[in-house]
């Protein structure tokens, strides 16, 4: 997934935040599948309340996670790719 791609929530997915610091649970209304989110996954989910570029999501996570590890960008990319594979998010690749 390219850093210039845009990501937004799939409207068929609802979230329920759990008690701190447990994260959240996502429910895909079409498939009935549940997906757990840790705290960083929840931050990403909050950041894509509106459509965002992948690079901006990574920056947002870096700003909100205290002492974010250097590989946080890779972690966010992997999370978004997993979320796209599970139809939790909609990705729009930017054309050149």
């Amino acid at each position: 997934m390219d850093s210039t791609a845009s990501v937004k929530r799939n409207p068929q997915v609802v979230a329920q935040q759990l008690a701190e610091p447990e994260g959240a649970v996502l429910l895909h209304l079409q498939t009935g599948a549940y997906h757990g989110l840790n705290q960083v996954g929840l931050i990403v989910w909050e950041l894509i309340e509106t459509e965002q570029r992948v690079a901006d999501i990574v920056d947002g996570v870096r700003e909100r996670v205290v002492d974010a590890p250097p590989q946080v960008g890779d972690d966010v990319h992997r999370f978004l790719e997993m979320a796209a594979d599970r139809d939790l998010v909609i990705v729009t690749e930017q054309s050149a």
Side-chain angles (χ1 to χ4, degrees):
M1 180 178 306
D2 190 84
S3 292
T4 61
S6 294
V7 180
K8 64 181 177 181
R9 296 175 182 175
N10 180 338
Q12 292 296 314
V13 178
V14 294
Q16 177 63 50
Q17 188 169 352
L18 303 173
E20 294 264 349
E22 298 299 317
V25 175
L26 303 180
L27 170 61
H28 194 294
L29 298 173
Q30 256 181 335
T31 66
Y34 286 92
H35 305 273
L37 298 180
N38 64 17
Q39 277 299 112
V40 176
L42 178 57
I43 290 170
V44 172
W45 191 254
E46 290 170 348
L47 289 168
I48 61 171
E49 184 173 356
T50 59
E51 189 168 354
Q52 300 291 321
R53 287 182 330 120
V54 172
D56 295 331
I57 298 166
V58 171
D59 290 344
V61 170
R62 282 196 176 111
E63 290 172 6
R64 294 176 65 179
V65 173
V66 177
D67 297 324
Q71 78 275 6
V72 73
D74 294 336
D75 294 343
V76 169
H77 277 264
R78 274 193 298 280
F79 172 82
L80 291 172
E81 288 170 357
M82 175 278 307
D85 289 345
R86 295 178 182 181
D87 194 33
L88 302 174
V89 298
I90 299 167
V91 178
T92 306
E93 297 289 343
Q94 301 302 310
S95 55

